[in-house]
Amino acid sequence: MRLLEIQYGGLEHVGCTERDIRNFEKKLRDEQKGIDAETLIEFFASEKDKNYSFFFDYETYSDKRFSMCFWADPVSRRENSVFSDIVVFDTTYNTNKYEAMPKGAPNVIITDQDPDMAKAIAQVFHKTVHRYCLWNILNKFPDKLNPMTFLDYYRSIKNVIQNSTTPDEFEKSWEDVIKCANLEKNDWLSLMYELRQKWVPIYFNHIFCAGMSSSQRSEISHAFLKRYVSNKNSLMDFIACFNRALRHQRHNELVADHTDMNEHPKIKTNWPMEAQMVKVYTKKKYVEFQSEMCESHGYYVQQVSVGVELMVYNVMNFQTCSSSKSRTLTHNKQLDYILLK
């Protein structure tokens, strides 16, 4: 209504009221009832005709009523082929194919603890690592512990989960803190311990997860989309609003790309690696890399052994070398990953 007011030079010149517009919108929604799903499928088919890379699929119930759909435009599919290391789901989703993923199955999938999802992923993505959302699990602790126990011990339990440096350390520390809190008979905690290799960070140190351990990033995406879509939208209205949101998001990415290409951070050292990475990383990621690289100067590295498959090093912080034990870094040359214990 504000746009019409500006366009026509005042509310008195618009020719209708805000209620008239709402009634007109309701009339359009009513006209779409019964054919909304057909209109959506026709729209997807037309997009497919325009560009063969557009992907869509849908399912119906036994009585032919529309059940669910999935679509991916060419840009999304192209981006997936480049950034396909990790996929996050935070809703129940029947994973029965991955034709929309040009590069095939992702390396890692993060979901909640939905059993149907776990079963589907195991059946379809045979080589994909499936891990549970750490954020969702931590948020369940207030409901699974009585208030006093939560208040007294949650911080210690969380510290064990997030800061253990080896699986052995986690298992020993978990046993100690659970015993101290008298939680040995808590069925949920016992179950979560049995599933520890699905959600505790230390069990994924050898797998690239792009710094992600939860589906919280999807919650951020939902907050972004809520600015554009409404539960009152018809299917076609939703698609129109969703595409508008996607265009805005991609425009913001172009602005960020422009910044990265024209505003390079200052180099702090003479290391060739730093000069190389400032040209490769985004500005935000480079600042993280630069901080870690400068911090690495505070560590002493001693080679322990060199083999055909493994190279082993001891690593120690100069500032704490007298009060803490060294960490063991193992580089598997054949599998090309590093394990820190």
Side-chain angles (χ1 to χ4, degrees):
M1 195 66 183
R2 292 178 182 176
L3 291 176
L4 293 174
E5 179 185 354
I6 295 171
Q7 182 178 353
Y8 289 98
L11 286 173
E12 65 275 14
H13 302 300
V14 172
C16 66
T17 65
E18 188 170 346
R19 176 176 290 182
D20 293 332
I21 294 176
R22 290 179 179 175
N23 289 337
F24 180 70
E25 290 177 341
K26 182 179 183 302
K27 180 183 177 182
L28 291 178
R29 288 196 298 269
D30 290 341
E31 290 176 353
Q32 283 291 313
K33 288 181 179 179
I35 62 169
D36 200 21
E38 294 178 10
T39 306
L40 177 67
I41 295 170
E42 290 175 0
F43 171 76
F44 283 157
S46 68
E47 293 297 299
K48 181 76 171 180
D49 291 338
K50 295 175 187 176
N51 191 322
Y52 186 75
S53 295
F54 183 90
F55 175 90
F56 78 98
D57 199 0
Y58 65 95
E59 294 183 2
T60 59
Y61 294 110
S62 58
D63 58 0
K64 303 300 182 181
R65 288 185 300 113
F66 188 77
S67 171
M68 65 183 71
C69 69
F70 177 85
W71 77 97
D73 66 16
V75 175
S76 297
R77 298 188 70 192
R78 184 167 62 249
E79 290 175 344
N80 177 77
S81 68
V82 179
F83 305 106
S84 61
D85 298 285
I86 184 166
V87 172
V88 178
F89 289 104
D90 65 344
T91 57
T92 301
Y93 177 80
N94 294 322
T95 308
N96 52 24
K97 58 183 69 178
Y98 49 93
E99 296 172 37
M101 301 178 180
K103 196 176 178 180
N107 296 333
V108 180
I109 290 181
I110 298 177
T111 73
D112 58 16
Q113 293 172 263
D114 183 86
D116 293 331
M117 181 72 118
K119 182 179 179 180
I121 290 173
Q123 290 176 346
V124 179
F125 301 119
H126 306 293
K127 296 182 180 180
T128 296
V129 175
H130 177 208
R131 62 183 297 186
Y132 293 144
C133 172
L134 177 61
W135 181 73
N136 282 339
I137 292 173
L138 292 178
N139 279 347
K140 292 179 181 179
F141 272 82
D143 298 326
K144 302 300 181 178
L145 307 181
N146 72 60
M148 290 305 298
T149 302
F150 176 82
L151 184 65
D152 292 339
Y153 292 99
Y154 174 69
R155 184 174 297 180
S156 298
I157 296 173
K158 184 178 179 181
N159 180 63
V160 170
I161 294 169
Q162 294 187 322
N163 297 320
S164 293
T165 58
T166 67
D168 289 342
E169 179 185 337
F170 166 77
E171 291 165 11
K172 178 64 168 63
S173 300
W174 176 274
E175 182 182 352
D176 291 343
V177 73
I178 295 302
K179 185 175 181 180
C180 183
N182 293 318
L183 292 170
E184 299 98 323
K185 296 183 180 180
N186 185 296
D187 293 337
W188 181 77
L189 288 176
S190 298
L191 173 63
M192 296 315 302
Y193 180 76
E194 291 178 7
L195 298 173
R196 61 191 180 279
Q197 295 186 11
K198 284 281 192 180
W199 61 278
V200 178
I202 190 59
Y203 292 97
F204 299 93
N205 271 6
H206 63 292
I207 301 170
F208 178 70
C209 294
M212 298 176 65
S213 61
S214 75
S215 60
Q216 194 171 10
R217 189 177 296 270
S218 288
E219 299 293 337
I220 297 173
S221 298
H222 286 176
F224 169 77
L225 286 174
K226 284 180 181 178
R227 293 157 45 191
Y228 297 87
V229 301
S230 165
N231 57 6
K232 296 180 181 180
N233 291 142
S234 66
L235 290 176
M236 283 306 303
D237 286 340
F238 173 81
I239 293 297
C241 294
F242 178 85
N243 286 340
R244 178 169 174 263
L246 202 57
R247 286 193 296 271
H248 286 188
Q249 187 179 62
R250 287 170 179 169
H251 173 74
N252 292 337
E253 290 174 355
L254 288 175
V255 172
D257 288 342
H258 176 79
T259 301
D260 290 332
M261 288 186 291
N262 293 280
E263 299 180 13
H264 295 305
K266 291 184 179 180
I267 295 176
K268 294 183 178 181
T269 71
N270 293 324
W271 284 21
M273 181 169 59
E274 186 178 11
Q276 178 187 5
M277 291 301 103
V278 78
K279 300 176 182 178
V280 175
Y281 283 140
T282 63
K283 184 178 180 181
K284 180 179 179 180
K285 184 56 61 176
Y286 174 78
V287 170
E288 294 179 20
F289 161 79
Q290 188 181 58
S291 175
E292 291 189 3
M293 187 188 68
C294 292
E295 189 177 330
S296 70
H297 297 171
Y299 289 85
Y300 171 70
V301 181
Q302 181 183 29
Q303 190 176 77
V304 177
S305 64
V306 179
V308 176
E309 297 183 3
L310 302 177
M311 299 179 66
V312 181
Y313 304 86
N314 281 338
V315 183
M316 182 168 289
N317 189 313
F318 281 124
Q319 294 182 344
T320 61
C321 60
S322 60
S323 59
S324 64
K325 63 180 182 179
S326 64
R327 304 281 297 278
T328 301
L329 187 153
T330 303
H331 177 209
N332 188 313
K333 293 185 285 186
Q334 289 190 344
L335 299 179
D336 193 24
Y337 76 82
I338 293 175
L339 180 64
L340 186 64
K341 295 183 178 181

